[in-house]
Amino acid sequence: MTIRVLALRQPPPPVVTALPKDITLEVIDDPSADWQIDRPEDIRGVINFAGALSADVMDRLPNLEIISHMGVGYDGVDVQAARARGIVITHTRDVLNADVANFAFLMLLAASREYVRQDRHVRSGAWESGQTPLTWSIEGQTVGIVGLGRIGRNLAKKLEAFNVTVLYHGRSRQDVAYEFCADLEEMARRCRALVLLLPGGSDTDGLITASVIDALGPESGLINAARGSVVDQAALIAALEAGRLGWAALDVFEDEPHVPQSLRDMQNVLLSPHAASATRETRGAMFALVAENIRAHFHDGAAVTPIPECADMVQR
């Protein structure tokens, strides 16, 4: 019997080729439009590349069993609606840990040594007139990680090689060698850099407030490789413009792909297009896991990486 699965946005070829032959894939290129499909009651799975997935979409698919979500988080997906309907949600955790941590480390190194400015200095010919000002070293500095999950612990391990003192803030203390800081503002005051690696969603929305940003101070900076929603972006811009914050390195933003012109114009801000996991190797592994979650659900009776809130729904 053919199993019908709906893809919200066009899936990459590796996803399509990895699906078993008994799974028929139907694609909605623009999930934001008023889309229609034939026999929605026959759709049993959704592959979600669109980010957001509302209860309204689930309502339109009355026999939906599984949502295979692309990404390490699942903010934007109505988890409570899925639970109420008995729908399993999976995501692509673990396979992107190393590359996201590497990218956060790259942003820290590039910011501390002002690598982009150094590059421009040479390209412009300005080196012929003199050297750039001295930068600062991360060696022996204190770095705070907000969100010491799998990615955060991966980054912390890399920082140890540079004799960095690692502090962390999260919902609870963990059994690790790093110092737990329950007070986020106090931790920020002690740090040369604050690295954000926490999940998005209502629990973390606006967690990095103006007070936390000001606690970092003019010699320190903020790295966001998490979600734009976790930072008060207006407060961040104001602090950078006023010199109350020294610098920022941002991979995510409040309203992607729209980035405020003020951030684009600042020379003490590094910008990237939500690219922390964007290597061929990691994206390939994510694509494979998206397909494997669908295959395992329908062929083995249990998905591979259900989100914690839906773990009790995996075994049917």
Side-chain angles (χ1 to χ4, degrees):
M1 180 181 295
T2 298
I3 299 166
R4 291 179 70 203
V5 171
L6 183 68
L8 301 181
R9 298 199 190 285
Q10 181 65 49
V15 173
V16 179
T17 57
L19 291 172
K21 298 300 183 184
D22 62 344
I23 292 179
T24 299
L25 197 62
E26 302 187 27
V27 178
I28 301 296
D29 288 318
D30 185 5
S32 65
D34 186 18
W35 52 268
Q36 300 290 333
I37 58 170
D38 294 333
R39 305 190 321 277
E41 67 276 6
D42 292 344
I43 297 294
R44 296 174 60 191
V46 164
I47 294 177
N48 183 34
F49 291 97
L53 203 162
S54 68
D56 292 339
V57 173
M58 300 178 207
D59 287 340
R60 297 171 69 174
L61 308 171
N63 294 312
L64 183 62
E65 301 175 25
I66 182 171
I67 297 166
S68 184
H69 182 66
M70 173 78 169
V72 69
Y74 39 89
D75 47 304
V77 177
D78 193 329
V79 174
Q80 294 308 313
R83 283 183 63 87
R85 292 159 177 78
I87 300 168
V88 174
I89 308 176
T90 67
H91 59 162
T92 53
R93 68 168 188 255
D94 292 334
V95 295
L96 46 63
N97 296 349
D99 269 334
V100 174
N102 290 343
F103 199 84
F105 200 13
L106 167 67
M107 290 196 289
L108 176 58
L109 286 171
S112 69
R113 301 305 303 271
E114 298 188 38
Y115 184 76
V116 172
R117 180 167 64 85
Q118 307 278 24
D119 177 86
R120 290 172 181 161
H121 188 75
V122 175
R123 291 177 188 276
S124 68
W127 190 14
E128 298 171 10
S129 300
Q131 279 282 5
T132 55
L134 296 177
T135 59
W136 60 276
S137 172
I138 69 165
E139 192 78 24
Q141 300 284 356
T142 298
V143 172
I145 299 175
V146 183
L148 197 73
R150 296 176 180 88
I151 299 171
R153 291 193 295 273
N154 193 303
L155 173 63
K157 193 68 177 177
K158 299 177 196 300
L159 290 171
E160 289 180 20
F162 289 76
N163 301 309
V164 168
T165 298
V166 175
L167 313 177
Y168 74 97
H169 174 83
R171 285 180 290 188
S172 60
R173 186 186 304 272
Q174 299 187 38
D175 185 18
V176 293
Y178 315 116
E179 181 182 346
F180 173 69
C181 299
D183 189 322
L184 183 52
E185 285 186 35
E186 179 58 32
M187 184 175 84
R189 289 189 188 94
R190 297 170 59 188
C191 294
R192 193 67 186 267
L194 197 65
V195 185
L196 310 182
L197 293 169
L198 65 164
S202 58
D203 290 345
T204 60
D205 189 29
L207 180 68
I208 307 304
T209 62
S211 297
V212 174
I213 293 167
D214 284 345
L216 279 166
E219 297 298 319
S220 300
L222 180 74
I223 294 170
N224 192 359
R227 291 290 186 270
S229 60
V230 305
V231 176
D232 182 336
Q233 186 169 279
L236 173 65
I237 292 171
L240 288 164
E241 289 178 334
R244 300 195 310 275
L245 181 68
W247 53 272
L250 309 172
D251 186 48
V252 290
F253 306 89
E254 187 175 81
D255 182 25
E256 297 175 4
H258 309 293
V259 177
Q261 189 63 46
S262 54
L263 286 175
R264 299 190 212 180
D265 291 340
M266 293 182 198
Q267 297 303 303
N268 59 338
V269 176
L270 298 178
L271 306 172
S272 53
H274 203 146
S277 67
T279 66
R280 295 182 184 90
E281 294 81 2
T282 287
R283 287 293 169 86
M286 292 171 73
F287 297 152
L289 190 49
V290 164
E292 176 59 14
N293 279 319
I294 290 288
R295 187 210 64 78
H297 174 80
F298 290 115
H299 284 251
D300 300 340
V304 179
T305 56
I307 66 170
E309 289 87 344
C310 297
D312 59 328
M313 299 189 289
V314 175
Q315 301 294 341
R316 290 176 174 272

